[in-house]
């Protein structure tokens, strides 16, 4: 019987045949940590260890509460800087470089067939270029630092096939939310999700990142697109040398689902669950206070272009704050070069520094009681962006931009 | 026997332990005070050592934050029984040696006010509504539980 992508990566790492369901101890190629590095490094003395086994495999990105919101965060950041210098960790990205999951792909840590673990649930994003990437806990990250390895269960695989083409005003975000709406927040629990497009659209790396990012909200262990020509080109390879990583034609899937892209419409995830999906039209007219474009889900240049497309020559409603967080400094620079910075400024947007922003409710735009935010992020849990009595609606960059103009939830369709 | 606190599906890590506290609240006692605060504000004052949480599907979905497990552990919660668990949460439970049992039947049958106790060695949950058995953990996992958590497991490994 053939192997799935996950079985191939696990077998390659284990040096023997590994099948779904088996538990194996593996050495990841990279272990990603962010602001939580401060808490993780404090575990070393508890464990009785002092040095990282492979400092070259650690990637540390300061992104969550950056620049530091107060002296507690500042002290955490300081301890991290001292730690990376002391341990000889060269893969360190200080305040302002970008969101960790963006860095993993942008800086090519994510690479076909690599095993990437991160102490953050959206580590799955790196599956966009054909890495096996999964989130783990903090203590596990400390364990990998000092032992180089971790036990993992090789997941069953669920295949999601796309056919056709997305309409202009619908995006990969709408598609991802539509999938979550159909299968639920636990629809892919413990599983690998293999995305593939059989006809029509060639998903960009950015689209793939959004889908793999949101695989975490399906409960998946990892999400991925098999590495193809688009990936090879993105990595600067002249040929696609990654075909052997594709799932075999006779590989075993636990479930297969198909989506017709032409039927995907702009949707919104309403409070307080990511699988509470509704067509934008059903929520049209809901007054908003804040609109957010950014985060690891939708802070890339493609997303900023999409928002700028809608906002060109228009202005944000006077009662709305539109906050824009580029996913990285690289994205920010590109937006500057393309004139997007100016377009959004003219529309009344507030440009913020690359990073997570208020996504986790700690700073830079946290919500007051009763406030409503429409955001391109990936989670709308109660209280996530600040006060428990605030509301978060999740949508595509185009829908967020359209809603910012109207001052209420609105479909982007009329702006295309 | 511990008392049961029953919740629904998709109890997420933000209601288990709010993100805004993740970098600032580190004291175990203080963490316990924030456990479940956005879902059941009275939980922290009502819970007693040995009590058990019972919930529906996808318990612990969301962030990878371990505080969402530790806040319960520091509250004295003896085990979580759910129809299913989000995978990182499940791992974090093992690593903190908080028994997480995916027992759909028990999770549906038990309610707030019922009583239960978990016998890990025997693989059984004894409750006021009957007994529910569970399969042993894989050896890799059992070793961590036996050590009392991943930190302790690693400490043993480094001491050798
Ligand atoms: S942007 Fe939000 S979801 Fe993404 S890593 Fe940062 S806090 Fe997590």
């Amino acid at each position: 019987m053939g192997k799935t992508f996950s079985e191939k990566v696990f077998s390659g790492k284990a040096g023997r045949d590994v099948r779904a369901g088996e538990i194996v101890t593996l050495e990841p190629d990279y272990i990603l940590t962010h602001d939580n590095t401060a808490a993780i490094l404090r575990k070393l003395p508890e464990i009785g260890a002092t040095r990282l086994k492979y400092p070259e495999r650690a990637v540390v990105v300061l992104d969550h509460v950056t620049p530091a919101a107060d002296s507690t965060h500042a002290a955490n950041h300081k301890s991290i800087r001292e730690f990376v210098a002391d341990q000889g960790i060269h893969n360190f990205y200080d305040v302002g470089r970008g969101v960790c999951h963006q860095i993993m792909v942008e800086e090519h840590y994510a690479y076909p067939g690599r095993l990437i673990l991160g102490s953050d649930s959206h580590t799955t994003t790196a599956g966009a270029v054909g890495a096996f990437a999964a989130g783990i806990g903090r203590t596990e990250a400390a364990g990998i630092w000092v032992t180089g390895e971790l036990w993992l269960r090789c997941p069953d695989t669920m295949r999601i096939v796309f056919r056709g083409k997305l309409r202009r005003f619908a995006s990969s975000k709408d598609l991802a939310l539509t999938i979550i709406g159909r299968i639920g927040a636990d629809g892919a629990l413990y599983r690998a999700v293999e995305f593939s497009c059989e006809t029509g659209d060639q998903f960009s790396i950015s689209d793939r990142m959004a889908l793999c990012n949101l695989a975490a909200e399906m409960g998946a262990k990892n999400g991925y697109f098999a590495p193809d020509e688009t990936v090879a080109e993105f990595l600067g390879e002249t040929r696609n040398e990654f075909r052997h990583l594709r799932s075999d034609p006779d590989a075993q899937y636990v479930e297969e689902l198909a989506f017709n892209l032409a039927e995907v419409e702009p949707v919104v995830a309403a409070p307080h669950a990511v699988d509470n999906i509704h067509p934008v039209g059903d929520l049209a007219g809901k007054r908003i206070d804040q609109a957010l474009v950014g985060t690891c889900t939708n802070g890339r240049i493609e997303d900023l272009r999409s928002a700028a497309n809608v906002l060109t020559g228009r202005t944000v409603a006077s009662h709305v704050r539109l906050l824009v967080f580029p996913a990285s400094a690289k994205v920010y620079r590109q937006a500057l070069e393309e004139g997007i910075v100016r377009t959004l400024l003219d529309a009344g947007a507030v440009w913020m520094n690359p990073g997570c922003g208020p996504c986790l409710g700690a700073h830079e735009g946290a919500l007051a009681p009763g406030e409503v935010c429409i955001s391109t992020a990936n989670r709308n849990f109660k209280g996530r962006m600040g006060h428990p009595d605030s509301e978060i609606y999740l949508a595509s960059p185009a829908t967020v931009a359209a809603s910012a103009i109207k001052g209420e939830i609105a479909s982007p369709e009329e702006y295309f | 026997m511990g008392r049961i606190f029953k919740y629904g599906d998709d109890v997420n890590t933000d209601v288990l332990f709010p993100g805004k506290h993740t970098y600032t609240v580190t004291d175990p006692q203080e963490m316990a005070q924030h456990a479940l605060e956005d879902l059941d504000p009275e939980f922290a004052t009502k819970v007693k050592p040995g009590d058990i949480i019972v919930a529906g599907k996808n318990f612990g979905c969301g962030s990878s934050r371990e505080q969402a497990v530790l806040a319960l552990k520091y509250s004295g919660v003896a085990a979580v029984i759910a129809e299913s668990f989000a995978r990182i949460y499940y791992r974090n439970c093992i690593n903190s040696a908080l028994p997480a049992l995916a027992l759909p039947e028990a999770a549906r049958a038990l309610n707030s006010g019922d009583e239960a106790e978990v016998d890990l060695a025997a693989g059984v949950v004894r409750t006021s509504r009957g007994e529910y058995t569970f399969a042993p953990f894989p050896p890799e996992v059992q070793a961590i539980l036996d050590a009392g958590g991943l930190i302790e497991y690693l400490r043993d490994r480094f001491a050798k």
Side-chain angles (χ1 to χ4, degrees):
Chain A
M1 191 182 61
K3 284 198 179 110
T4 63
F5 164 86
S6 298
E7 289 171 328
K8 288 184 176 187
V9 175
F10 272 53
S11 298
K13 287 269 157 209
R16 66 173 177 86
D17 216 36
V18 178
R19 295 292 175 163
E22 275 183 68
I23 290 181
V24 279
T25 298
L26 300 178
E27 288 200 347
D29 294 283
Y30 288 106
I31 164 71
L32 170 69
T33 60
H34 47 67
D35 294 36
N36 58 17
T37 307
I40 298 167
L41 70 88
R42 291 196 284 265
K43 292 182 190 288
L44 261 51
E46 289 179 44
I47 295 169
T50 51
R51 311 280 327 160
L52 267 59
K53 185 160 183 193
Y54 304 113
E56 68 280 11
R57 295 184 189 171
V59 181
V60 178
V61 183
L62 296 189
D63 60 355
H64 269 55
V65 185
T66 56
D70 59 29
S71 59
T72 308
H73 292 286
N76 277 341
H77 293 172
K78 183 165 179 259
S79 70
I80 294 167
R81 290 187 191 103
E82 288 163 1
F83 179 76
V84 298
D86 176 50
Q87 294 284 340
I89 296 171
H90 298 300
N91 307 323
F92 174 57
Y93 298 84
D94 210 324
V95 171
R97 291 295 300 275
V99 183
C100 60
H101 308 303
Q102 180 71 17
I103 298 286
M104 289 307 283
V105 175
E106 214 171 74
E107 298 295 322
H108 297 187
Y109 294 109
Y111 195 85
R114 278 189 190 152
L115 173 62
I116 291 172
L117 299 176
S119 63
D120 188 278
S121 51
H122 295 104
T123 302
T124 55
T125 314
V129 297
F132 184 103
I136 56 166
R138 289 178 180 184
T139 308
E140 294 182 303
I144 295 171
W145 275 357
V146 300
T147 66
E149 59 184 34
L150 186 71
W151 68 270
L152 292 166
R153 183 179 165 279
C154 185
D156 291 321
T157 300
M158 171 175 187
R159 189 163 180 252
I160 300 185
V161 179
F162 306 130
R163 302 196 178 92
K165 239 176 131 39
L166 286 169
R167 290 176 290 174
R168 276 178 311 144
F169 48 84
S171 73
S172 50
K173 176 64 164 289
D174 296 306
L175 173 60
L177 292 177
T178 300
I179 297 170
I180 296 170
R182 186 178 319 168
I183 70 174
D186 64 345
L189 204 58
Y190 307 123
R191 295 172 171 177
V193 176
E194 174 174 313
F195 298 107
S196 66
C197 192
E198 292 197 333
T199 57
D201 265 339
Q202 259 306 315
F203 287 87
S204 68
I205 297 295
S206 175
D207 289 329
R208 297 175 194 211
M209 288 172 76
L211 280 152
C212 293
N213 182 277
L214 286 159
E217 305 313 315
M218 305 171 194
K221 178 170 208 151
N222 62 312
Y224 65 93
F225 278 78
D228 58 7
E229 278 66 28
T230 305
V231 169
E233 196 184 313
F234 171 76
L235 294 169
E237 308 286 350
T238 46
R239 289 188 315 147
N240 177 12
E241 307 281 4
F242 313 118
R243 285 174 205 284
H244 62 283
L245 289 167
R246 290 179 163 269
S247 295
D248 292 325
D250 57 342
Q252 193 90 30
Y253 297 105
V254 285
E255 194 176 345
E256 293 199 47
L257 287 177
F259 285 82
N260 181 353
L261 299 178
E263 287 170 5
V264 173
E265 56 180 329
V267 290
V268 171
H272 298 287
V274 186
D275 56 5
N276 187 11
I277 304 295
H278 303 271
V280 177
D282 290 4
L283 294 162
K286 169 88 192 171
R287 188 184 154 98
I288 60 166
D289 303 287
Q290 183 163 295
L292 187 156
V293 176
T295 77
C296 58
T297 315
N298 283 128
R300 281 171 287 284
I301 193 67
E302 291 83 350
D303 304 310
L304 301 181
R305 278 182 201 139
S306 171
N309 222 7
V310 172
L311 281 154
T312 302
R314 302 192 172 92
T315 46
V316 172
S318 58
H319 70 275
V320 172
R321 301 137 359 219
L322 170 61
L323 308 181
V324 184
F325 293 82
S328 70
K330 215 169 177 174
V331 169
Y332 201 168
R333 186 180 305 276
Q334 175 98 19
L336 190 64
E337 281 162 11
E338 292 187 14
I340 293 171
V341 171
R342 171 151 212 158
T343 302
L344 296 188
L345 262 183
D346 287 348
V350 184
W351 280 89
M352 307 291 290
N353 56 291
C356 300
C359 182
L360 72 162
H363 70 150
E364 290 189 328
L367 300 173
E371 283 195 323
V372 176
C373 178
I374 187 162
S375 164
T376 62
N378 47 33
R379 276 192 191 133
N380 58 353
F381 300 156
K382 197 172 191 308
R384 176 156 173 106
M385 274 181 74
H387 198 274
D389 293 331
S390 57
E391 293 183 4
I392 308 166
Y393 291 80
L394 305 175
S396 74
T399 301
V400 168
S403 305
I405 295 166
K406 287 253 168 99
E408 54 190 41
I409 293 179
S411 170
E413 208 170 334
E414 64 180 275
Y415 298 105
F416 276 79
Chain B
M1 287 227 194
R3 294 169 309 158
I4 284 180
F5 288 79
K6 171 99 180 233
Y7 302 102
D9 292 339
D10 301 313
V11 173
N12 66 67
T13 50
D14 278 273
V15 297
L16 280 159
F17 192 80
K20 55 183 172 283
H21 301 319
T22 51
Y23 295 103
T24 45
V25 177
T26 49
D27 174 64
Q29 281 249 296
E30 209 186 322
M31 281 174 66
Q33 282 160 20
H34 292 291
L36 281 164
E37 75 179 2
D38 284 347
L39 180 68
D40 179 0
E42 286 169 15
F43 174 79
T45 49
K46 287 189 300 192
V47 67
K48 291 206 183 72
D51 286 348
I52 289 175
I53 288 181
V54 174
K57 291 185 294 181
N58 206 21
F59 189 88
C61 62
S63 151
S64 63
R65 70 185 65 133
E66 284 171 356
Q67 295 96 322
V69 175
L70 293 174
L72 296 186
K73 198 178 155 98
Y74 295 150
S75 310
V77 168
V80 183
I81 297 169
E83 287 184 47
S84 63
F85 289 86
R87 58 165 288 276
I88 301 178
Y89 193 85
Y90 186 76
R91 293 187 73 100
N92 284 339
C93 283
I94 292 165
N95 294 331
S96 304
L98 175 66
L101 304 170
L103 293 170
E105 228 186 297
R108 282 191 284 265
L110 296 168
N111 267 316
S112 291
D114 289 343
E115 296 196 326
E117 69 184 4
V118 175
D119 184 339
L120 272 187
V124 61
V125 185
R126 298 188 189 92
T127 82
S128 45
R129 288 180 193 262
E131 293 192 356
Y132 302 89
T133 54
F134 52 92
F137 291 99
E140 289 85 351
V141 172
Q142 192 60 49
I144 296 170
L145 291 172
D146 288 346
L150 183 59
I151 294 270
E152 292 75 7
Y153 171 81
L154 290 166
R155 199 192 293 145
D156 293 348
R157 179 168 161 169
F158 274 90
K160 275 176 198 147

